[in-house]
Amino acid sequence: MPNLGIGIVGLPNVGKSTLFNALTKAGALAANYPFATIEKNVGVVPLPDERLEKLAQVFKKGERVPPIVPTHVEFVDIAGLVRGAHKGEGLGNQFLGHVREVAAIAHVVRAFEDENVVHVEGSVDPIRDVETINTELALADLGVLERRVERLKKGARVKKEDKEELELLLPLLDWLSEGRPLRKYRAKSEEAEKKLKKLYRQLGLITAKPLIYVANVAEEDLPEGEGNPFVEALRERAREEGAELVVVSAKLEAELAELPEEEAKELLAAYGLKEPGLFRLIRTGYKALDLITFFTAGEKEVRAWTVPRGTKAQKAAGEIHSDMERGFIRAEVIPWEKLVEAGGWARAKEKGWVRTEGKDYEVQDGDVMLVLFNV
């Protein structure tokens, strides 16, 4: 499975660890003082998908429903960043190192007033908080690029590849100096853009990663934080940056995590919500990372798999088992809803709904695949 580590970042005391605990029930320390989280905490969360339940019913035999195996998402709770983190303030180097390792960033921003919960800056101001974190991340990237550029300058006199890379990276120094994230930078050509994206990954550049703002609101501001000026300001900021915004109440998520399923549904309904913030955050993470889900389904098991959009059938088969990729012959493919409508593989084939696809077929979200291989 591709790396879908979503790093939860933010200033100390904005509700990051409370949200993480609720999402993963992993019990990360949550306390009302800065730097309660020093080591990163990792939680693996299954991705609920109603398509799995519907597919499992197709392959029910008597009373036995095949086991369901969902795909999953890794959440990483990263300790609170503070002003000066790029220079090592507040254990900044360690924290920034953890941010470099994840695939996307969920930036938790406090959007509620509560005199009982201290704020590291002394007052609630989401835009100031966003700028504090974004500036630290941009300066951290700038430091990495400046060191790289110095090295390339020495090699550019004799190495063509160093000269080409230097030309690609130099404009980024001015861009980052103005506090702008690399995810908004566009190179002059498609080829240059591809090379830059590869360099972003190699160098672990943080501001190139997809970003999701998570507005942590009081319960009464759910479901969308309408009328909350903090949320409206964040929504506008996300729009400007091309980022996603998810509105949650970490306090409510913590309550939901402790309740039995039926009681949790009732509490969600009371706030006009159909599902916990966890599900919305995972789906937004999927969207930000441009991932899709495909399925394998039969009487033994119904399972979800995650691959990047555009993945070819042979490569997707390798997610199931390396032998399937190595000995790939072809795949039988059907959209999940057509398989449910047909009531099984045999009837779907009779109706002519099952397609035979080769190794270069691009797998689509919701495809059910049966891989034929020989090793």
Side-chain angles (χ1 to χ4, degrees):
M1 180 180 167
N3 170 28
L4 183 51
I6 298 177
I8 303 178
V9 307
L11 290 171
N13 247 23
V14 294
K16 288 184 304 82
S17 294
T18 303
L19 183 65
F20 175 82
N21 288 351
L23 296 183
T24 65
K25 300 183 186 177
L29 173 66
N32 187 19
Y33 55 90
F35 308 122
T37 315
I38 297 197
E39 287 302 316
K40 68 176 180 180
N41 295 294
V42 180
V44 176
V45 185
L47 171 61
D49 191 329
E50 62 181 15
R51 296 176 294 184
L52 284 167
E53 305 282 348
K54 289 175 181 175
L55 282 167
Q57 288 303 313
V58 171
F59 296 97
K60 185 177 176 182
K61 198 127 185 172
E63 290 302 306
R64 185 188 177 276
V65 179
I68 284 170
V69 185
T71 185
H72 62 271
V73 177
E74 185 180 273
F75 281 97
V76 184
D77 179 27
I78 295 163
L81 292 163
V82 292
R83 214 180 285 276
H86 72 283
K87 295 184 289 189
E89 296 291 334
L91 303 174
N93 292 334
Q94 188 180 345
F95 301 166
L96 289 166
H98 293 157
V99 185
R100 292 193 198 287
E101 293 167 7
V102 297
I105 298 167
H107 181 170
V108 181
V109 187
R110 181 169 160 182
F112 65 91
E113 298 272 14
D114 185 342
E115 60 187 27
N116 297 315
V117 182
V118 297
H119 191 292
V120 73
E121 296 277 9
S123 63
V124 179
D125 182 343
I127 300 306
R128 177 204 60 209
D129 295 354
V130 159
E131 284 172 355
T132 297
I133 296 285
N134 286 357
T135 299
E136 290 305 320
L137 299 181
L139 288 170
D141 280 354
L142 188 60
V144 170
L145 280 175
E146 283 172 343
R147 290 189 290 276
R148 181 78 166 195
V149 162
E150 282 309 305
R151 189 183 70 73
L152 289 168
K153 278 179 179 174
K154 291 172 187 170
R157 300 184 196 110
V158 287
K159 287 186 186 171
K160 185 188 172 192
E161 56 268 32
D162 281 10
K163 186 172 183 288
E164 286 174 355
E165 188 181 321
L166 185 63
E167 286 168 0
L168 272 178
L169 296 183
L170 277 172
L172 302 185
L173 298 181
D174 289 338
W175 185 269
L176 283 168
S177 297
E178 291 167 16
R180 291 183 287 181
L182 292 173
R183 77 183 70 84
K184 292 288 284 179
Y185 181 81
R186 290 295 169 266
K188 288 176 181 173
S189 71
E190 201 174 315
E191 190 188 349
E193 193 70 33
K194 279 181 187 172
K195 285 179 182 173
L196 270 180
K197 282 182 178 170
K198 195 174 175 186
L199 282 168
Y200 293 161
R201 286 194 296 274
Q202 281 175 3
L203 299 172
L205 296 174
I206 301 166
T207 67
K209 298 176 189 291
L211 175 68
I212 303 157
Y213 283 120
V214 183
N216 183 15
V217 301
E219 290 154 298
E220 58 266 24
D221 284 330
L222 293 168
E224 292 299 331
E226 285 174 12
N228 178 326
F230 297 145
V231 176
E232 292 310 319
L234 268 174
R235 192 168 273 125
E236 184 55 37
R237 180 63 182 245
R239 225 176 271 127
E240 287 168 13
E241 287 189 30
E244 300 284 344
L245 176 74
V246 177
V247 177
V248 301
S249 164
K251 187 165 175 278
L252 178 66
E253 295 295 328
E255 288 174 43
L256 289 167
E258 301 301 321
L259 291 175
E261 191 177 342
E262 284 309 310
E263 287 180 40
K265 280 180 183 173
E266 285 173 23
L267 185 56
L268 281 167
Y271 287 102
L273 298 166
K274 291 179 182 173
E275 60 184 8
L278 158 67
F279 300 177
R280 286 177 285 135
L281 188 50
I282 293 175
R283 287 199 188 97
T284 306
Y286 254 54
K287 183 180 171 187
L289 290 167
D290 208 18
L291 296 168
I292 63 163
T293 302
F294 75 94
F295 305 100
T296 50
E299 288 176 10
K300 287 185 181 176
E301 177 187 86
V302 174
R303 185 186 283 252
W305 307 88
T306 296
V307 290
R309 190 179 301 282
T311 298
K312 303 285 174 69
Q314 185 173 7
K315 188 76 178 166
E319 287 295 318
I320 304 168
H321 198 286
S322 56
D323 283 353
M324 287 190 177
E325 183 175 2
R326 200 154 45 91
F328 183 92
I329 300 169
R330 63 184 183 275
E332 293 184 352
V333 181
I334 182 171
W336 75 273
E337 62 267 47
K338 298 302 279 184
L339 186 56
V340 169
E341 188 184 333
W345 283 104
R347 284 184 208 141
K349 284 179 180 177
E350 283 169 20
K351 290 175 179 288
W353 291 351
V354 178
R355 307 187 315 274
T356 298
E357 301 287 1
K359 63 180 182 180
D360 291 328
Y361 168 71
E362 277 192 14
V363 179
Q364 302 298 304
D365 187 65
D367 275 352
V368 184
M369 278 178 46
L370 181 63
V371 177
L372 291 102
F373 67 106
N374 183 31
V375 287

